[in-house]
Amino acid sequence: MAKDMYQTPRGTKDILPSEQPYWMAVRNTAEKVFLGLGFSRIDIPHFENSEIYAKGIGGTTDIVQKEMFTLQSHSEDEAITFALRPEGTAGVVRSYLQNGMASWSQPVRLFYMGAMFRHERPQKGRFREFYQTGMEIIGDGSPKSDYLAIMSAWEILNRLGLKNLIVYTNSIGCPKCRPKYLAKLKKFYSDSKKELCADCNNRLETNPLRLLDCKNENCQKLGKDAPVMLDSLCPECKEHFQQTLEYLDYFNIKYDLDPKLVRGLDYYTQTVFEIVEKDDKGRQSTIVGGGRYNGLVELLGGMKTPAVGFSFGMERVISLMKEQKIVAKKPRGVEICIVQLGDKAKEVSKAIYDALTKNDINVYFVPSNDSLRQQIKTAVKLEAKYAVIIGQQEAVKDEIILRDLDASSQEVFPAKDLIEELKKRMLSCPCAVEPAEEDEKIA
Ligand code: HAM
């Protein structure tokens, strides 16, 4: 590589063609699960008024304080500071309000996929530009929506073939019961203030809940016997959480209670959850994060509206797929190459091209004057399965030669039988991933 060649910015990456089968598998599987559960896709801008994030995610969170890419405006919007979206939930709620979705039939079920941006220290599974797939159910406060959020994440990961996963869950209460708990928590830490890390010392005043998930070893030791929110839940929050867990039990989704799970975004109320690979004890690569956020719609200017959702990092899912030796199926490329010789054959070829593509068969057809050998070589290079060869004689007799390019064998058919014959030969598996031993490995 030349010395002064431009490089991708730190924490970003190119997703090259060889990687794309994994991305397609994740996108297609998630889309199938969401559409099948009655969700609709939404796409929102990659940048928004930064206040949405400051208000929604919380002004004292790491995401807002340290990780947001803010943009300088050069135009009519000068008074507004924009930020590249660090996550999707706040933007989706902004869209819910802006587009009058509160008057749609409730709940509104939305899913999204796309790039998010956080100025974090890049390391394994942590990027500055990364991709999330997520969903939000806005307008339903019942535990069945908490279940649906957890279940749909679980279902996507399962259909992708991922194993050895576990859901960690907790309830962090509501504005009625949480303040009393926070007072207890502050009291608990008040004697050990000097021993806490600098971040926790700040958080003790601004966001005491976050002390529970500090990664500093000493803070973790100090918090070992800290009071837990589950013991301080009000009867409504207790009942809500109990019912959510009953759903998980009923549907056989493996979970562990984690009383220290609080999540890094301030909008959460009641149920919070993460899905993690069981051996990732330090939770360095949490795959899915989500929970209920009953106050966010109101916080961003709407009516009091309950909501719940999750998102997962697509890089982390793909990395785990590779670790677990899951092979993503290659997408359908060129299936048929039309090889033609002579003017009459060129004419017939176009009709054959139209008939094949109408039947959802992928066809490469560029009328050329190349030799038969040359055209077959091109077909092999494009990894086509078959060549449909039409010479002068075949064109006149309404026939084609079907050449299997892997087997290097060929047969003559009446042109009218071509589609049925190809359909018979090309019945392909509709799933996005397949067991490693059955397919050639990609990447
Ligand atoms: P989050 O926990 O901040 O939650 O992110 C969700 C997932 O995004 C993480 O579990 C991880 O897989 C992935 N992720 C986060 N940061 C990075 C990064 N720097 N590099 C690679 N992957 C990353 C949210 O974003 C919430 N909006 C989830 C939610 C939706 N809650 C309710 N609805």
Side-chain angles (χ1 to χ4, degrees), residues 312-331:
F312 63 76
M314 295 168 78
E315 290 83 355
R316 292 189 187 179
V317 167
I318 289 168
S319 164
L320 196 57
M321 285 171 76
K322 289 184 183 171
E323 270 171 41
Q324 298 193 0
K325 309 257 181 297
I326 295 165
V327 177
K329 200 178 160 194
K330 274 188 189 172

PDB file of all heavy atoms in Angstrom, residues 312-331:
ATOM      1  N   PHE A 312     -29.686  -4.240  18.736  1.00  0.00           N
ATOM      2  CA  PHE A 312     -28.448  -5.018  18.835  1.00  0.00           C
ATOM      3  C   PHE A 312     -27.428  -4.478  17.844  1.00  0.00           C
ATOM      4  O   PHE A 312     -27.775  -3.890  16.822  1.00  0.00           O
ATOM      5  CB  PHE A 312     -28.681  -6.524  18.637  1.00  0.00           C
ATOM      6  CG  PHE A 312     -29.202  -6.945  17.293  1.00  0.00           C
ATOM      7  CD1 PHE A 312     -28.371  -6.992  16.185  1.00  0.00           C
ATOM      8  CD2 PHE A 312     -30.532  -7.332  17.148  1.00  0.00           C
ATOM      9  CE1 PHE A 312     -28.858  -7.403  14.943  1.00  0.00           C
ATOM     10  CE2 PHE A 312     -31.026  -7.756  15.916  1.00  0.00           C
ATOM     11  CZ  PHE A 312     -30.180  -7.788  14.812  1.00  0.00           C
ATOM     12  N   GLY A 313     -26.162  -4.672  18.200  1.00  0.00           N
ATOM     13  CA  GLY A 313     -25.071  -4.252  17.334  1.00  0.00           C
ATOM     14  C   GLY A 313     -24.840  -5.326  16.287  1.00  0.00           C
ATOM     15  O   GLY A 313     -24.585  -6.485  16.617  1.00  0.00           O
ATOM     16  N   MET A 314     -24.955  -4.949  15.019  1.00  0.00           N
ATOM     17  CA  MET A 314     -24.840  -5.959  13.959  1.00  0.00           C
ATOM     18  C   MET A 314     -23.421  -6.521  13.865  1.00  0.00           C
ATOM     19  O   MET A 314     -23.226  -7.707  13.600  1.00  0.00           O
ATOM     20  CB  MET A 314     -25.314  -5.363  12.632  1.00  0.00           C
ATOM     21  CG  MET A 314     -26.808  -5.041  12.693  1.00  0.00           C
ATOM     22  SD  MET A 314     -27.426  -4.047  11.337  1.00  0.00           S
ATOM     23  CE  MET A 314     -27.549  -5.252  10.027  1.00  0.00           C
ATOM     24  N   GLU A 315     -22.396  -5.670  14.128  1.00  0.00           N
ATOM     25  CA  GLU A 315     -21.013  -6.186  14.099  1.00  0.00           C
ATOM     26  C   GLU A 315     -20.837  -7.285  15.144  1.00  0.00           C
ATOM     27  O   GLU A 315     -20.166  -8.290  14.913  1.00  0.00           O
ATOM     28  CB  GLU A 315     -20.002  -5.075  14.408  1.00  0.00           C
ATOM     29  CG  GLU A 315     -19.829  -4.018  13.338  1.00  0.00           C
ATOM     30  CD  GLU A 315     -20.893  -2.932  13.407  1.00  0.00           C
ATOM     31  OE1 GLU A 315     -21.831  -3.044  14.228  1.00  0.00           O
ATOM     32  OE2 GLU A 315     -20.778  -1.968  12.623  1.00  0.00           O
ATOM     33  N   ARG A 316     -21.435  -7.048  16.321  1.00  0.00           N
ATOM     34  CA  ARG A 316     -21.250  -8.028  17.407  1.00  0.00           C
ATOM     35  C   ARG A 316     -21.958  -9.339  17.089  1.00  0.00           C
ATOM     36  O   ARG A 316     -21.470 -10.413  17.413  1.00  0.00           O
ATOM     37  CB  ARG A 316     -21.772  -7.444  18.722  1.00  0.00           C
ATOM     38  CG  ARG A 316     -20.894  -6.292  19.170  1.00  0.00           C
ATOM     39  CD  ARG A 316     -21.235  -5.844  20.552  1.00  0.00           C
ATOM     40  NE  ARG A 316     -20.481  -4.633  20.857  1.00  0.00           N
ATOM     41  CZ  ARG A 316     -20.559  -3.974  21.993  1.00  0.00           C
ATOM     42  NH1 ARG A 316     -21.362  -4.409  22.951  1.00  0.00           N
ATOM     43  NH2 ARG A 316     -19.849  -2.896  22.190  1.00  0.00           N
ATOM     44  N   VAL A 317     -23.122  -9.247  16.450  1.00  0.00           N
ATOM     45  CA  VAL A 317     -23.844 -10.470  16.064  1.00  0.00           C
ATOM     46  C   VAL A 317     -23.012 -11.242  15.040  1.00  0.00           C
ATOM     47  O   VAL A 317     -22.830 -12.459  15.146  1.00  0.00           O
ATOM     48  CB  VAL A 317     -25.239 -10.115  15.496  1.00  0.00           C
ATOM     49  CG1 VAL A 317     -25.872 -11.304  14.798  1.00  0.00           C
ATOM     50  CG2 VAL A 317     -26.152  -9.626  16.611  1.00  0.00           C
ATOM     51  N   ILE A 318     -22.459 -10.513  14.074  1.00  0.00           N
ATOM     52  CA  ILE A 318     -21.694 -11.174  13.010  1.00  0.00           C
ATOM     53  C   ILE A 318     -20.415 -11.786  13.572  1.00  0.00           C
ATOM     54  O   ILE A 318     -20.032 -12.906  13.224  1.00  0.00           O
ATOM     55  CB  ILE A 318     -21.404 -10.166  11.870  1.00  0.00           C
ATOM     56  CG1 ILE A 318     -22.716  -9.884  11.131  1.00  0.00           C
ATOM     57  CG2 ILE A 318     -20.335 -10.686  10.914  1.00  0.00           C
ATOM     58  CD1 ILE A 318     -22.675  -8.726  10.175  1.00  0.00           C
ATOM     59  N   SER A 319     -19.787 -11.059  14.495  1.00  0.00           N
ATOM     60  CA  SER A 319     -18.555 -11.581  15.085  1.00  0.00           C
ATOM     61  C   SER A 319     -18.849 -12.887  15.843  1.00  0.00           C
ATOM     62  O   SER A 319     -18.101 -13.862  15.743  1.00  0.00           O
ATOM     63  CB  SER A 319     -17.985 -10.487  15.994  1.00  0.00           C
ATOM     64  OG  SER A 319     -17.063 -10.983  16.847  1.00  0.00           O
ATOM     65  N   LEU A 320     -19.984 -12.919  16.546  1.00  0.00           N
ATOM     66  CA  LEU A 320     -20.356 -14.135  17.274  1.00  0.00           C
ATOM     67  C   LEU A 320     -20.716 -15.271  16.305  1.00  0.00           C
ATOM     68  O   LEU A 320     -20.404 -16.437  16.549  1.00  0.00           O
ATOM     69  CB  LEU A 320     -21.522 -13.830  18.224  1.00  0.00           C
ATOM     70  CG  LEU A 320     -21.790 -14.861  19.304  1.00  0.00           C
ATOM     71  CD1 LEU A 320     -20.566 -15.095  20.168  1.00  0.00           C
ATOM     72  CD2 LEU A 320     -22.958 -14.416  20.196  1.00  0.00           C
ATOM     73  N   MET A 321     -21.376 -14.917  15.200  1.00  0.00           N
ATOM     74  CA  MET A 321     -21.680 -15.949  14.191  1.00  0.00           C
ATOM     75  C   MET A 321     -20.385 -16.610  13.725  1.00  0.00           C
ATOM     76  O   MET A 321     -20.293 -17.829  13.610  1.00  0.00           O
ATOM     77  CB  MET A 321     -22.394 -15.329  12.973  1.00  0.00           C
ATOM     78  CG  MET A 321     -23.848 -14.972  13.215  1.00  0.00           C
ATOM     79  SD  MET A 321     -24.530 -14.015  11.838  1.00  0.00           S
ATOM     80  CE  MET A 321     -24.781 -15.301  10.604  1.00  0.00           C
ATOM     81  N   LYS A 322     -19.364 -15.787  13.487  1.00  0.00           N
ATOM     82  CA  LYS A 322     -18.095 -16.351  12.998  1.00  0.00           C
ATOM     83  C   LYS A 322     -17.437 -17.184  14.084  1.00  0.00           C
ATOM     84  O   LYS A 322     -16.936 -18.273  13.805  1.00  0.00           O
ATOM     85  CB  LYS A 322     -17.172 -15.232  12.544  1.00  0.00           C
ATOM     86  CG  LYS A 322     -17.657 -14.575  11.267  1.00  0.00           C
ATOM     87  CD  LYS A 322     -16.666 -13.537  10.818  1.00  0.00           C
ATOM     88  CE  LYS A 322     -17.167 -12.833   9.581  1.00  0.00           C
ATOM     89  NZ  LYS A 322     -16.345 -11.676   9.240  1.00  0.00           N
ATOM     90  N   GLU A 323     -17.446 -16.671  15.324  1.00  0.00           N
ATOM     91  CA  GLU A 323     -16.859 -17.445  16.427  1.00  0.00           C
ATOM     92  C   GLU A 323     -17.541 -18.800  16.544  1.00  0.00           C
ATOM     93  O   GLU A 323     -16.914 -19.800  16.851  1.00  0.00           O
ATOM     94  CB  GLU A 323     -17.030 -16.693  17.750  1.00  0.00           C
ATOM     95  CG  GLU A 323     -15.892 -15.751  18.075  1.00  0.00           C
ATOM     96  CD  GLU A 323     -16.225 -14.882  19.264  1.00  0.00           C
ATOM     97  OE1 GLU A 323     -16.810 -15.387  20.242  1.00  0.00           O
ATOM     98  OE2 GLU A 323     -15.922 -13.671  19.205  1.00  0.00           O
ATOM     99  N   GLN A 324     -18.856 -18.814  16.329  1.00  0.00           N
ATOM    100  CA  GLN A 324     -19.605 -20.067  16.470  1.00  0.00           C
ATOM    101  C   GLN A 324     -19.663 -20.861  15.161  1.00  0.00           C
ATOM    102  O   GLN A 324     -20.455 -21.782  15.022  1.00  0.00           O
ATOM    103  CB  GLN A 324     -21.014 -19.767  17.007  1.00  0.00           C
ATOM    104  CG  GLN A 324     -20.984 -19.141  18.386  1.00  0.00           C
ATOM    105  CD  GLN A 324     -22.347 -19.112  19.082  1.00  0.00           C
ATOM    106  OE1 GLN A 324     -23.355 -19.565  18.546  1.00  0.00           O
ATOM    107  NE2 GLN A 324     -22.373 -18.578  20.290  1.00  0.00           N
ATOM    108  N   LYS A 325     -18.812 -20.459  14.221  1.00  0.00           N
ATOM    109  CA  LYS A 325     -18.659 -21.184  12.943  1.00  0.00           C
ATOM    110  C   LYS A 325     -19.964 -21.283  12.153  1.00  0.00           C
ATOM    111  O   LYS A 325     -20.248 -22.291  11.480  1.00  0.00           O
ATOM    112  CB  LYS A 325     -18.100 -22.601  13.164  1.00  0.00           C
ATOM    113  CG  LYS A 325     -16.843 -22.676  14.008  1.00  0.00           C
ATOM    114  CD  LYS A 325     -15.638 -22.890  13.130  1.00  0.00           C
ATOM    115  CE  LYS A 325     -14.331 -22.993  13.881  1.00  0.00           C
ATOM    116  NZ  LYS A 325     -13.950 -21.778  14.616  1.00  0.00           N
ATOM    117  N   ILE A 326     -20.784 -20.250  12.261  1.00  0.00           N
ATOM    118  CA  ILE A 326     -22.014 -20.215  11.464  1.00  0.00           C
ATOM    119  C   ILE A 326     -21.657 -19.607  10.112  1.00  0.00           C
ATOM    120  O   ILE A 326     -20.955 -18.590  10.058  1.00  0.00           O
ATOM    121  CB  ILE A 326     -23.085 -19.362  12.171  1.00  0.00           C
ATOM    122  CG1 ILE A 326     -23.477 -20.040  13.481  1.00  0.00           C
ATOM    123  CG2 ILE A 326     -24.300 -19.146  11.272  1.00  0.00           C
ATOM    124  CD1 ILE A 326     -24.244 -19.153  14.418  1.00  0.00           C
ATOM    125  N   VAL A 327     -22.098 -20.254   9.065  1.00  0.00           N
ATOM    126  CA  VAL A 327     -21.746 -19.785   7.724  1.00  0.00           C
ATOM    127  C   VAL A 327     -22.947 -19.103   7.094  1.00  0.00           C
ATOM    128  O   VAL A 327     -24.032 -19.663   7.041  1.00  0.00           O
ATOM    129  CB  VAL A 327     -21.290 -20.972   6.853  1.00  0.00           C
ATOM    130  CG1 VAL A 327     -20.999 -20.518   5.434  1.00  0.00           C
ATOM    131  CG2 VAL A 327     -20.064 -21.621   7.463  1.00  0.00           C
ATOM    132  N   ALA A 328     -22.748 -17.871   6.646  1.00  0.00           N
ATOM    133  CA  ALA A 328     -23.853 -17.171   5.990  1.00  0.00           C
ATOM    134  C   ALA A 328     -23.929 -17.639   4.546  1.00  0.00           C
ATOM    135  O   ALA A 328     -22.904 -17.793   3.887  1.00  0.00           O
ATOM    136  CB  ALA A 328     -23.604 -15.667   6.040  1.00  0.00           C
ATOM    137  N   LYS A 329     -25.148 -17.873   4.108  1.00  0.00           N
ATOM    138  CA  LYS A 329     -25.324 -18.350   2.743  1.00  0.00           C
ATOM    139  C   LYS A 329     -24.990 -17.223   1.772  1.00  0.00           C
ATOM    140  O   LYS A 329     -25.382 -16.077   1.997  1.00  0.00           O
ATOM    141  CB  LYS A 329     -26.797 -18.730   2.583  1.00  0.00           C
ATOM    142  CG  LYS A 329     -27.060 -19.645   1.455  1.00  0.00           C
ATOM    143  CD  LYS A 329     -28.539 -19.984   1.416  1.00  0.00           C
ATOM    144  CE  LYS A 329     -28.890 -20.485   0.053  1.00  0.00           C
ATOM    145  NZ  LYS A 329     -30.310 -20.522  -0.178  1.00  0.00           N
ATOM    146  N   LYS A 330     -24.269 -17.567   0.726  1.00  0.00           N
ATOM    147  CA  LYS A 330     -23.965 -16.547  -0.285  1.00  0.00           C
ATOM    148  C   LYS A 330     -25.261 -16.064  -0.927  1.00  0.00           C
ATOM    149  O   LYS A 330     -26.143 -16.888  -1.204  1.00  0.00           O
ATOM    150  CB  LYS A 330     -23.092 -17.158  -1.383  1.00  0.00           C
ATOM    151  CG  LYS A 330     -21.621 -17.125  -1.088  1.00  0.00           C
ATOM    152  CD  LYS A 330     -20.891 -17.573  -2.345  1.00  0.00           C
ATOM    153  CE  LYS A 330     -19.434 -17.783  -2.073  1.00  0.00           C
ATOM    154  NZ  LYS A 330     -18.755 -18.379  -3.202  1.00  0.00           N
ATOM    155  N   PRO A 331     -25.398 -14.775  -1.199  1.00  0.00           N
ATOM    156  CA  PRO A 331     -26.620 -14.336  -1.874  1.00  0.00           C
ATOM    157  C   PRO A 331     -26.645 -14.862  -3.308  1.00  0.00           C
ATOM    158  O   PRO A 331     -25.603 -15.225  -3.864  1.00  0.00           O
ATOM    159  CB  PRO A 331     -26.481 -12.808  -1.878  1.00  0.00           C
ATOM    160  CG  PRO A 331     -25.032 -12.549  -1.713  1.00  0.00           C
ATOM    161  CD  PRO A 331     -24.449 -13.699  -0.959  1.00  0.00           C
TER     162      PRO A 331
END
